[in-house]
Amino acid sequence: MALPVAFFALFFAWPVTAIVARGLKTDGAWHLGRIADVVTQPDIRHVLWFTTWQALASTALTLLLALPAGYVFARLDFPGKQLLRAVVTVPFVLPTVVAGSAFLALAGRGGLLDELWGVRLDTTVWAILLAHVFFNFAVVVRTVGGLWAQLDPRQEQAARMLGASPLTAWRKVTLPALAPAVAAAALMVFLFTFTSFGVVQILGGPAFSTLEVEIYRQTSEVFDLSTAAVLTLVQFAAVGAVLAVHAWTVRRRESALRLVDPDTTVRRPRGAGQWALLAGVLVTIALLLVLPLAVLVRRSLDAPGLGYYRALTHADGGTFLVAPVHAVWTSLEYAVAATAIAVVIGGLAAGALARRDAGRLVRGFDALLMLPLGVSAVTVGFGFLIALDKPLLDLRQSWILVPLAQALVGAPFVVRTMLPVLRAVDVRLREAASVLGASPWRVWREVDLPLVRRALLVASGFAFAVSLGEFGATVFIARPDNPTLPVAVARLLSRPGDLNYGQAMALSTILMVVCAAALLILERLRTDRTGEF
């Protein structure tokens, strides 16, 4: 736990504390009365209420639509499965400003739905909810599906032989085993939607505002750091309460599970029910995920002769100091470094948290690991600039600052993906290996690693994808001569003109292709059988 604790203390707790202190402390005196003044304002209470209920509704809707897809990817075999799994993850790495614009073009004024059927969803809460499902669909599919694929189907088959119906067997046997993974996925979706910024900013209009949007407005438009600091504390407290409830409820339902090789549980669909389920999942993915992505691609091709793509190879000397296409290589370099950091930090933390004899202090750190997903990225970005400016840790001019910020978001995904699988490993397997003389390192290599190898690859893919699309904190700390893809897209969107907008769509398409290619390679590694369980 030493390295994960030090990492989060230095690169999360310290920067957030520094920016909050800057807002609530003036001339050496704390102004804590400002907290009550802010939270009692009617408009702030309305923002808090909308933030909470839309996050709950988005989480429920995402689970409802994505859990069937988790089963399909975990247990059914069909042509194009690996490619489709990669496509499902692409929306998750898109910058929120880009995906919000694509959803607006799909369902807003003059969008595809408006042209075909006269249906408009812009400036309604439904646009926000569906866009949140668009972003978080992959979280449920990969987190729950990763464990589902390794559950021994013979347990459910035994319940069927004893007279249970398919629904009863799933509810009594499979669902309790999946509960930790479902809870982990629900927690991540809730945190992302609770701190939603780009989607609400673009699709919600002036009628809807989340805490994240209000923090940004108070910081960048009103320049009221004290109000922004109070809202950050409110967000922090709300997220902390959710994490505490999650840690308490999930811990009570944990149990050792019989895990098997996922390759042995996959089969072709059988019966009308499974074929209908597969068809329904494919239609949902096509309409909810693929269609908005297709809108982006079509807009990037509006200029004749790939004009928008050719424009990316030239620096204009204004928005960029280098050609926008340079952001592709910068993003890949940063993402690889951030993934390495996140896997090391998250893997060590998951290994410590998975121990049955872990103390209460260690288990409490499980909730703290998720806080970076629930704290304003604006706060973290400003905090990096304020806190990491002293000797020994003056990183403002260092390239590592961006991967560190991205790893803060990637590490919780590593923990949440690996922890259910690690906790499901029967402790008697480790004890038997130790009795036979295996060292702790060999126990991990021979017992744990074969069982969690696929979960580790899934976690690495998540961390890489999150790093590619991270925008909130990166926009404040990325150097002008080394912008990432999301930062470059946001800069292009902020400038008027069809050429800038077209280049933004072209860069977004490149981001999608890069992510899909990386995830497809990861899928092939996941399904490459290097050994037997």
Side-chain angles (χ1 to χ4, degrees):
M1 291 296 297
L3 189 58
V5 169
F7 178 81
F8 279 89
L10 287 176
F11 302 115
F12 176 70
W14 185 16
V16 171
T17 301
I19 191 65
V20 171
R22 180 70 64 91
L24 294 179
K25 195 174 183 181
T26 305
D27 297 330
W30 291 90
H31 299 279
L32 300 181
R34 180 62 178 161
I35 298 177
D37 295 338
V38 172
V39 297
T40 54
Q41 297 176 14
D43 55 338
I44 297 298
R45 291 204 303 269
H46 175 74
V47 168
L48 180 59
W49 165 245
F50 174 74
T51 302
T52 303
W53 85 257
Q54 65 83 23
L56 291 172
S58 298
T59 303
L61 187 60
T62 303
L63 290 175
L64 178 65
L65 294 176
L67 280 178
Y71 170 81
V72 166
F73 282 106
R75 291 295 171 86
L76 300 184
D77 186 25
F78 53 92
K81 178 179 175 180
Q82 295 181 15
L83 176 61
L84 190 62
R85 195 196 300 266
V87 170
V88 164
T89 311
V90 170
F92 186 69
V93 305
L94 286 180
T96 54
V97 290
V98 176
S101 299
F103 228 86
L104 188 63
L106 177 65
R109 181 190 299 273
L112 183 61
L113 297 183
D114 191 15
E115 293 177 357
L116 295 179
W117 299 294
V119 176
R120 289 182 53 195
L121 298 177
D122 58 321
T123 68
T124 68
V125 71
W126 279 108
I128 296 173
L129 297 182
L130 291 176
H132 283 160
V133 177
F134 170 82
F135 275 113
N136 297 295
F137 196 90
V139 174
V140 178
V141 170
R142 287 186 167 267
T143 304
V144 179
L147 179 60
W148 206 336
Q150 292 185 259
L151 292 182
D152 191 344
R154 291 175 295 182
Q155 299 178 15
E156 188 172 329
Q157 293 167 2
R160 294 289 306 280
M161 292 182 62
L162 294 174
S165 65
L167 179 60
T168 301
W170 182 83
R171 183 169 55 88
K172 295 288 188 179
V173 178
T174 304
L175 184 59
L178 289 175
V182 173
L187 176 65
M188 287 188 285
V189 173
F190 179 85
L191 291 180
F192 272 108
T193 53
F194 189 81
T195 58
S196 181
F197 173 67
V199 169
V200 179
Q201 183 84 342
I202 294 174
L203 298 176
F208 303 105
S209 179
T210 59
L211 278 173
E212 188 84 358
V213 174
E214 191 64 24
I215 291 172
Y216 176 80
R217 190 179 73 86
Q218 295 291 337
T219 303
S220 302
E221 298 178 8
V222 184
F223 303 107
D224 188 349
L225 270 184
S226 63
T227 299
V230 172
L231 295 179
T232 298
L233 291 177
V234 172
Q235 190 180 56
F236 198 85
V239 170
V242 172
L243 293 175
V245 172
H246 170 269
W248 180 71
T249 55
V250 171
R251 186 71 183 181
R252 295 177 59 188
R253 303 193 61 163
E254 290 171 356
S255 59
L257 305 175
R258 180 185 294 274
L259 302 182
V260 298
D261 186 346
D263 294 337
T264 64
T265 65
V266 177
R267 65 183 185 183
R268 300 285 292 180
R270 299 176 183 175
Q274 289 191 349
W275 281 108
L277 177 62
L278 175 59
V281 168
L282 293 179
V283 170
T284 300
I285 292 174
L287 294 179
L288 190 62
L289 305 183
V290 177
L291 192 56
L293 299 180
V295 172
L296 287 180
V297 177
R298 183 184 65 83
R299 290 199 169 188
S300 72
L301 299 173
D302 282 346
L306 301 177
Y308 294 144
Y309 289 91
R310 292 202 308 269
L312 295 176
T313 61
H314 304 289
D316 59 7
T319 305
F320 299 100
L321 299 179
V322 295
V325 74
H326 181 72
V328 176
W329 311 113
T330 301
S331 290
L332 290 175
E333 293 170 352
Y334 285 162
V336 170
T339 301
I341 297 172
V343 168
V344 171
I345 298 299
L348 289 174
L353 294 170
R355 293 179 59 90
R356 295 288 170 179
D357 57 350
R360 184 173 299 178
L361 183 62
V362 174
R363 294 197 301 268
F365 188 65
D366 186 10
L368 296 179
L369 288 170
M370 300 300 294
L371 284 178
L373 301 183
V375 173
S376 169
V378 175
T379 301
V380 175
F382 276 147
F384 265 49
L385 297 178
I386 292 175
L388 303 180
D389 62 344
K390 302 293 191 298
L392 299 182
L393 270 180
D394 187 359
L395 303 177
R396 289 173 301 174
Q397 301 300 320
S398 174
W399 68 272
I400 197 64
L401 196 61
V402 174
L404 287 173
Q406 294 172 343
L408 276 176
V409 182
F413 281 93
V414 176
V415 175
R416 293 268 68 85
T417 303
M418 294 185 61
L419 195 54
V421 178
L422 281 172
R423 283 175 172 168
V425 176
D426 194 337
V427 68
R428 290 173 296 183
L429 296 175
R430 302 188 183 104
E431 293 172 348
S434 298
V435 169
L436 293 174
S439 64
W441 165 246
R442 188 174 182 183
V443 170
W444 161 255
R445 181 166 54 87
E446 299 289 347
V447 177
D448 292 85
L449 185 58
L451 292 173
V452 303
R453 179 176 60 87
R454 285 175 171 82
L456 180 61
L457 289 173
V458 171
S460 301
F462 257 134
F464 183 81
V466 169
S467 300
L468 275 180
E470 205 287 323
F471 172 72
T474 305
V475 69
F476 296 103
I477 56 181
R479 297 172 55 179
D481 57 341
N482 280 309
T484 63
L485 274 170
V487 172
V489 169
R491 290 180 183 175
L492 288 168
L493 286 174
S494 66
R495 299 183 66 184
D498 291 338
L499 179 60
N500 291 315
Y501 188 81
Q503 288 184 85
M505 296 302 102
L507 269 183
S508 300
T509 302
I510 292 174
L511 176 58
M512 286 190 292
V513 172
V514 170
C515 176
L519 294 173
L520 188 59
I521 293 173
L522 181 66
E523 286 302 315
R524 293 195 175 276
L525 291 175
R526 283 182 75 243
T527 55
D528 179 23
R529 297 183 64 180
T530 58
E532 297 292 339
F533 291 112

